[in-house]
């Protein structure tokens, strides 16, 4: 699942081959070859319960789609996720949000995506037809870790989970000899238009997640895609200069389902359940 690891160090020297986000590095990039799209940075602690924080928009989405209330329009989706987290068997829901400043930041998307971190393009090899999917994790600051450690201690928690809604871009993949698809996550693929350009990534609405231990050290991070869009969801629903389409938001939250899964769960619910399962699995 993770083949090449490159570190972006605090100083000019480059560190490689380490197993964790240690004190010498500010970030790490991993290639994601196949689902589940999860990176393990440290072994998860055994025992104890897990706290989960309220869902938020990821920093890139917040930065680029805050204008004209477009980011705020997604609050119904965040509310639905929080309601699901509050009743989820995996975790204890902590309704008070922890400040985002200094939190671990995870980009998962195509290496040539519009908002891919600088310098990650070296992950693509010359012979590759499609750009790789990458996970780029920036470690939390000591101040943020202190907040998490205090929160975990107050609740006797071994782990804390952050779930975020993300607009990102995934690379295309071949389906048979002539078809194309986008792999959105665990047992989740979506066909895309045959004539879609090979070199253009697919717009994806996704859930990203990070789990940290009781000291605020990153244990795992990953993504599960909710849906891919030929015409970007943001263009359809949240385009600058247009009225926000509340019907499309409501349809996303309450109607769009995974017909390929037992019980046909909502797409966002299936992504959330799978992401939590992968982040909190043993080992």
């Amino acid at each position: 699942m993770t083949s090449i690891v490159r570190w972006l160090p605090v100083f000019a020297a480059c560190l490689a081959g380490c197993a964790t986000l240690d004190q010498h590095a500010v970030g790490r990039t991993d290639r994601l070859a196949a689902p589940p799209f999860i990176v393990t940075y440290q072994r998860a602690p055994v025992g104890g319960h897990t706290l989960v924080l309220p869902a938020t928009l990821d920093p890139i989405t917040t930065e680029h789609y805050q204008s004209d209330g477009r980011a705020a329009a997604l609050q119904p989706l965040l509310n639905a996720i929080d309601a699901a987290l509050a009743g989820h068997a995996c975790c204890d829901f902590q309704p008070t949000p922890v400040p985002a400043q200094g939190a671990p930041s995870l980009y998962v998307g195509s290496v040539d995506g519009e908002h891919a971190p600088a310098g990650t393009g070296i992950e693509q090899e010359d012979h590759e037809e499609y750009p790789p999917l990458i996970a780029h994790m920036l470690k939390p600051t000591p101040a943020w870790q202190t907040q998490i450690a205090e929160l975990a201690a107050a609740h006797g928690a071994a782990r804390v989970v952050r779930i975020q809604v993300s607009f990102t871009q995934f690379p295309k993949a071949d389906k048979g000899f002539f078809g194309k698809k986008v792999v959105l996550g665990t047992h989740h693929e979506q066909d895309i238009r045959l004539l879609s350009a090979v070199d253009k990534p697919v717009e994806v609405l996704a859930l990203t997640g990070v789990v940290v231990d009781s000291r605020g050290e990153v244990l795992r991070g990953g993504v599960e895609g909710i849906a891919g869009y030929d015409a970007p969801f943001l263009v359809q629903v949240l385009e600058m200069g247009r009225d926000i389409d509340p019907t499309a938001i409501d349809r996303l939250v309450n109607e769009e389902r995974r017909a390929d899964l037992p019980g046909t769960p909502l797409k966002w619910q299936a992504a959330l359940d799978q992401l939590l399962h992968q982040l909190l699995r043993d080992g």
Side-chain angles (χ1 to χ4, degrees), residues 29-277:
T29 300
D30 291 83
R31 290 171 59 110
L32 302 175
F37 295 138
I38 299 289
V39 179
T40 298
Y41 302 99
Q42 299 187 60
R43 184 177 177 84
V46 177
H49 69 276
T50 302
L51 285 181
V52 60
L53 303 175
T56 63
L57 298 180
D58 81 326
I60 293 175
T61 301
T62 300
E63 177 183 355
H64 290 87
Y65 306 115
Q66 192 69 46
S67 301
D68 293 351
R70 292 180 298 160
L74 292 169
Q75 193 60 47
L77 177 59
L78 297 176
N79 292 343
I81 294 171
D82 283 351
L85 292 173
H88 207 286
C90 75
C91 319
D92 292 336
F93 183 64
Q94 167 59 37
T96 303
V98 173
Q101 184 175 2
S105 179
L106 176 63
Y107 168 86
V108 183
S110 174
V111 76
D112 70 343
E114 183 179 357
H115 304 301
T120 55
I122 59 174
E123 296 291 343
Q124 183 170 4
E125 305 294 339
D126 291 340
H127 63 84
E128 291 181 302
E129 180 180 11
Y130 299 104
L133 186 70
I134 61 166
H136 180 75
M137 176 72 78
L138 292 180
K139 66 178 292 185
T141 64
W144 188 88
Q145 289 178 306
T146 297
Q147 293 181 79
I148 289 297
E150 292 172 351
L151 180 66
H155 292 270
R159 293 163 296 274
V160 179
V161 178
R162 298 179 77 237
I163 300 294
Q164 298 192 305
V165 173
S166 171
F167 288 110
T168 186
Q169 296 170 311
F170 279 19
K172 296 178 174 67
D174 291 326
K175 183 175 182 179
F177 289 106
F178 302 108
K180 294 179 184 176
K181 65 183 180 181
V182 57
V183 180
L184 294 170
T186 309
H187 310 301
H188 191 195
E189 299 178 353
Q190 183 175 315
D191 292 345
I192 57 177
R193 294 178 300 174
L194 179 62
L195 298 180
S196 178
V198 171
D199 61 345
K200 299 295 184 183
V202 178
E203 303 286 340
V204 171
L205 175 64
L207 296 180
T208 57
V210 177
V211 56
V212 300
D213 65 14
S214 60
R215 301 170 300 164
E217 298 286 345
V218 177
L219 300 174
R220 282 195 179 113
V223 69
E224 285 286 335
I226 297 174
Y229 297 90
D230 285 334
F233 181 82
L234 287 173
V235 172
Q236 296 179 43
V237 181
L238 306 176
E239 184 178 3
M240 186 85 72
R242 287 187 359 185
D243 291 335
I244 293 166
D245 185 351
T247 302
I249 298 290
D250 183 74
R251 188 165 55 246
L252 170 67
V253 174
N254 297 304
E255 298 180 20
E256 295 186 12
R257 294 181 177 274
R258 291 278 304 276
D260 58 314
L261 294 178
T264 61
L266 293 163
K267 289 181 177 180
W268 66 262
Q269 181 72 71
L272 178 64
D273 289 345
Q274 185 60 246
L275 182 59
L276 288 170
H277 171 72

